[in-house]
Amino acid sequence: MAIKRFSKQRELILSAVMNTTEHPTAEMVYTRLKPENPALSLGTVYRNLNQLVAEGSLIRLPFTVERFDATTAPHAHFLCRECGKVYDIMDICYDPALDDKAQLSSGHVVKQHELFFDGTCVNCTEKM
Amino acid sequence: MAIKRFSKQRELILSAVMNTTEHPTAEMVYTRLKPENPALSLGTVYRNLNQLVAEGSLIRLPFTVERFDATTAPHAHFLCRECGKVYDIMDICYDPALDDKAQLSSGHVVKQHELFFDGTCVNCTEKM
DNA sequence: TCAGTAACAGTAATTATTACTGATTATAAT
DNA sequence: ATTATAATCAGTAATAATTACTGTTACTGA
């Protein structure tokens, strides 16, 4: 059950995440869309983000406040500790050998991995 | 300011995290300690965990419910999607070259990275 | 010994997220 | 097209995680 219907709101929310590089939170998506879609509700944003992750259109980044990313191909991320911005790191390519190695040494079935860098981003460095 | 005093509660909370491998949440630490320390309050656990992270005695794992780890040396983690348990992956050693590479390609000042694996752990695999 | 203040327990408040409710609307079969 | 159905919606209530506040206790250094 739970056959997917077309939903204008879902399209809207998906494209909002696709058209930004800022790895928005649910709140950020809502704030972005609300002015031009006054009827939109925050619950709808949460519900559709979860659906989009479930169907694989988005990935969920497990920060303490969740963030979403329309680049579903595995890639690394960078968190700026000063301003809180999250950036993609595309030049470090995903290494499947790591998964094999982790699986061998631990005995767990390893599906994938996430690589999180952190530090101070370019913009914040310039301001110092 | 804010000179650190000795605090029995802080010792208690630190040793609770040190004496387990389960990467406890604040709630788990509280539940563990409460029976033998009935006067302990949840706010105290949160406050002291944050202090211990600030002083470097613990690290914070940025899951959507925060977890803590007394192994402060950088190392990888594995999250079981079935049971939610978090394991250390010690056999994949920290690669500082990754930080350099990320910094060069992105321009950000990279301090460190975290490597998160996920999948199904040994215990859950056996039950299938 | 006592003034200053970190730390405490208890609790209120805040924030993030999910669940519920009754109304609306896409879809598929008539 | 019309209608039945169930997915989706907006609005809101509820829950869960975390932090902030309040009055009290107890170290610590003068």
Side-chain angles (χ1 to χ4, degrees), chain A residues 6-19 29-30 32-34 36-41 44-45 48-49 52:
Chain A
F6 173 82
S7 150
K8 193 163 185 179
Q9 274 82 351
R10 188 152 51 245
E11 290 300 306
L12 196 64
I13 288 162
L14 175 58
S15 72
V17 180
M18 287 174 66
N19 292 324
V29 171
Y30 176 72
R32 170 79 46 98
L33 296 176
K34 186 66 175 174
E36 294 179 0
N37 305 271
L40 184 69
S41 99
T44 299
V45 173
N48 282 291
L49 284 173
L52 289 163

Side-chain angles (χ1 to χ4, degrees), chain A residues 16-63:
Chain A
V17 180
M18 287 174 66
N19 292 324
T20 179
T21 59
E22 65 178 353
H23 303 80
T25 63
E27 187 66 39
M28 287 159 80
V29 171
Y30 176 72
T31 305
R32 170 79 46 98
L33 296 176
K34 186 66 175 174
E36 294 179 0
N37 305 271
L40 184 69
S41 99
L42 183 56
T44 299
V45 173
Y46 273 104
R47 185 164 13 86
N48 282 291
L49 284 173
N50 286 337
Q51 271 187 42
L52 289 163
V53 169
E55 78 186 33
S57 302
L58 296 179
I59 58 170
R60 181 194 307 273
L61 303 183
F63 292 91

Side-chain angles (χ1 to χ4, degrees), chain A:
Chain A
M1 23 195 122
I3 299 152
K4 286 281 166 53
R5 281 197 191 149
F6 173 82
S7 150
K8 193 163 185 179
Q9 274 82 351
R10 188 152 51 245
E11 290 300 306
L12 196 64
I13 288 162
L14 175 58
S15 72
V17 180
M18 287 174 66
N19 292 324
T20 179
T21 59
E22 65 178 353
H23 303 80
T25 63
E27 187 66 39
M28 287 159 80
V29 171
Y30 176 72
T31 305
R32 170 79 46 98
L33 296 176
K34 186 66 175 174
E36 294 179 0
N37 305 271
L40 184 69
S41 99
L42 183 56
T44 299
V45 173
Y46 273 104
R47 185 164 13 86
N48 282 291
L49 284 173
N50 286 337
Q51 271 187 42
L52 289 163
V53 169
E55 78 186 33
S57 302
L58 296 179
I59 58 170
R60 181 194 307 273
L61 303 183
F63 292 91
T64 48
V65 177
E66 292 189 337
R67 289 171 167 271
F68 297 88
D69 189 348
T71 305
T72 56
H75 61 286
H77 293 93
F78 174 88
L79 165 67
C80 177
R81 294 287 179 194
E82 300 296 323
C83 65
K85 281 205 189 94
V86 177
Y87 299 82
D88 288 316
I89 303 285
M90 298 309 274
D91 293 319
I92 293 191
C93 57
Y94 189 88
D95 180 6
L98 276 180
D99 297 338
D100 297 340
K101 200 175 165 194
Q103 175 151 344
L104 269 175
S105 82
S106 69
H108 306 315
V109 177
V110 175
K111 236 184 265 162
Q112 56 170 354
H113 67 259
E114 255 287 331
L115 184 56
F116 282 113
F117 295 91
D118 72 77
T120 308
C121 77
V122 168
N123 289 329
C124 290
T125 306
E126 281 169 356
K127 287 178 193 150
M128 288 175 167

